[in-house]
Amino acid sequence: MSITTKTGDHGETSLLTGERVKKSGLRVDTYGTLDEVDSALGLARAFSDKDDVAERILQLQRKMPALMADFASCGKEPRITMEDVHELEDWCDDVESDLPEEHAFIIPGGSQSGAMLDLVRTTARRAERCACRLAEAEDVAASDLVYLNRLSDYCYLLMRLEEDIYEDD
C-alpha cells in the first residue's frame, strides 16, 4: 500500500472511525498538535543525557498513540482513562519529590533535551487549548482534557530533572 492515497487532496481526511472531516477542523488540529508533541518528545529523548529521564520520556511516548486516537475518533470510549490520568499524576509526584521547591522563573535552554522538553510543554499547552475549543463544539472525554493538562506539567518537571535545576542554580 502506498503512503500516497490522494484521498486528502481536497482538504479532507478520515478519522479512525471512518468519518471524513475537514483538515482545518478542531479535531484534526488537536491530534495534529499532539503528533507534534510526540515528535518533540522523541527529540528530547534522543538528546537526553540522563537514562532515567529518557526512560520516563519513552513511557510517556507509549501513551501518545492512545491520546491521539481518542481525538482521531468520534463516539468511541476513550483509550485514555482516569486511571491513566492518575498514573501521570503519580509520575509527576515521583519527579517532583526529587526536586526542591521553585523560587524563580526558569529560562529554558540549559541543555538540548531540556530545551526540547520545554518545547513539548508549550506544544502540549497548545494542544490543550485546541482540545478545549473542540470540547465547546463536540464531545471530548474529560479524561483526555485532564491528561493533556497533566502532560504539560510532567514535561516541565522532566525539563527540570534533565537540566539539574535545583534551588542554588
Side-chain angles (χ1 to χ4, degrees):
M1 177 178 190
S2 173
I3 193 165
T4 305
T5 62
K6 301 180 183 176
T7 60
D9 290 352
H10 300 289
E12 289 188 345
T13 190
S14 292
L15 298 178
L16 288 177
T17 46
E19 296 93 339
R20 297 288 295 170
V21 295
K22 297 258 183 219
K23 289 182 178 182
S24 60
L26 285 172
R27 184 169 294 282
V28 176
D29 197 19
T30 302
Y31 72 75
T33 305
L34 288 171
D35 197 17
E36 292 176 49
V37 167
D38 196 24
S39 294
L41 281 168
L43 281 170
R45 183 169 53 89
F47 281 102
S48 180
D49 292 324
K50 298 186 174 162
D51 291 342
D52 64 321
V53 174
E55 182 56 36
R56 289 173 185 275
I57 294 169
L58 183 59
Q59 282 180 313
L60 191 53
Q61 283 184 284
R62 288 185 176 128
K63 294 287 188 180
M64 293 304 295
L67 185 59
M68 286 187 278
D70 281 355
F71 286 102
S73 303
C74 289
K76 293 282 190 177
E77 277 298 308
R79 292 160 179 86
I80 294 293
T81 64
M82 287 309 292
E83 185 176 301
D84 295 305
V85 170
H86 296 310
E87 178 182 53
L88 187 53
E89 290 171 341
D90 289 344
W91 293 353
C92 286
D93 292 344
D94 185 49
V95 173
E96 199 165 23
S97 70
D98 290 339
L99 296 170
E101 238 179 81
E102 280 184 274
H103 298 288
F105 286 105
I106 295 172
I107 298 171
S111 70
Q112 286 179 321
S113 180
M116 289 174 197
L117 283 163
D118 202 58
L119 178 62
V120 173
R121 176 189 65 80
T122 60
T123 308
R125 287 282 189 223
R126 180 163 37 95
E128 182 183 13
R129 292 189 301 271
C130 289
C132 287
R133 284 192 302 275
L134 176 64
E136 291 173 3
E138 299 180 38
D139 287 338
V140 172
S143 55
D144 287 327
L145 292 173
V146 176
Y147 194 89
L148 268 173
N149 186 268
R150 301 304 183 276
L151 174 64
S152 57
D153 294 339
Y154 187 56
C155 290
Y156 177 74
L157 292 169
L158 289 178
M159 180 269 295
R160 288 184 63 205
L161 193 61
E162 177 70 31
E163 294 191 352
D164 288 323
I165 296 178
Y166 296 98
E167 196 167 14
D168 351 73
D169 289 349

